[in-house]
């Protein structure tokens, strides 16, 4: 009995986490003046913690819609051929394009509440998986 009581809060926590993951709001955002076509883009809901998100977190919320699928001509994560030339231009240029946009690549991948640093770590994450 005592064992059960001790472990119950941990179980409740993990169930809560799971529910939070499932009910996370996913917004459809298309910035005015940008040609977003019919690409489904999910905006990152503010994490609310004030802590910078990891590159993987930012990627999974803001970038995977295009970079996970190749939508709109986005170089797919893990596609080394598609990334080789981009990586060759250097990180500064990749960051600059991710932050300010490049053709079909919207500024900050539409993650308007992402800091530049969060965009950079998301770029690092994609590059790491694509070389
Ligand atoms: C609406 C779709 C879309 C979303 C969302 C998106 N991208 Fe992109 N991204 C693109 C497209 C399309 C390109 C190719 C642009 C080109 O070269 O013409 C691209 C290119 C890039 C490049 C390569 C730039 C270069 O210099 O070659 C980087 C880096 C990048 N995206 C990072 C990100 C990051 C980080 C996120 C998430 C925060 C993100 N993208 C979200 C569509 C998207």
């Amino acid at each position: 009995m005592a064992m059960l009581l001790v472990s119950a809060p941990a179980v409740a926590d993990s169930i809560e986490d799971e529910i939070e993951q499932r009910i996370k709001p996913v917004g459809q955002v298309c910035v005015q003046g940008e040609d977003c076509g019919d690409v489904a883009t999910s905006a990152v809901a503010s994490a609310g913690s004030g802590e910078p998100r990891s590159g993987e977190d930012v990627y999974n919320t803001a970038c995977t819609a295009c970079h996970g699928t190749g939508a709109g001509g986005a170089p797919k994560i893990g596609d080394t051929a598609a990334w080789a030339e981009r990586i060759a231009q250097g990180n500064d240029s990749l960051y600059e394009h991710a932050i300010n946009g490049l053709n079909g690549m919207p500024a900050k991948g539409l993650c308007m509440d992402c800091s530049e640093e969060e965009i950079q770590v998301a770029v690092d994450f994609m590059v790491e998986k694509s070389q």
Side-chain angles (χ1 to χ4, degrees):
M1 220 30 202
M3 285 291 285
L4 263 181
L5 286 174
V6 170
S7 61
V11 171
D13 267 3
S14 75
I15 290 171
E16 239 170 61
D17 281 355
E18 215 186 301
I19 292 170
E20 269 171 29
Q21 287 298 317
R22 281 203 212 125
I23 61 175
K24 253 194 210 160
V26 176
Q28 295 275 319
V29 172
C30 190
V31 177
Q32 197 176 12
E34 263 178 347
D35 176 17
C36 303
D38 56 0
V39 175
T41 43
S42 52
V44 174
S46 172
S49 64
E51 293 282 314
R53 285 158 283 195
S54 71
E56 187 170 2
D57 279 353
V58 174
Y59 170 78
N60 282 327
T61 14
C63 321
T64 190
C66 297
H67 289 279
T69 60
K76 262 170 95 166
I77 191 167
D79 182 343
T80 50
W83 278 97
E85 258 183 49
R86 298 179 187 273
I87 291 169
Q89 68 184 324
N91 277 348
D92 286 350
S93 181
L94 290 177
Y95 295 154
E96 209 270 323
H97 292 151
I99 290 166
N100 297 318
L102 174 74
N103 304 317
M105 167 69 208
K108 286 188 169 179
L110 298 178
C111 179
M112 290 312 161
D113 72 343
C114 281
S115 65
E116 294 192 357
E117 195 193 341
E118 285 172 326
I119 299 297
Q120 289 182 2
V121 293
V123 171
D124 291 345
F125 174 78
M126 268 200 275
V127 165
E128 214 171 88
K129 299 277 177 200
S130 312
Q131 55 189 0

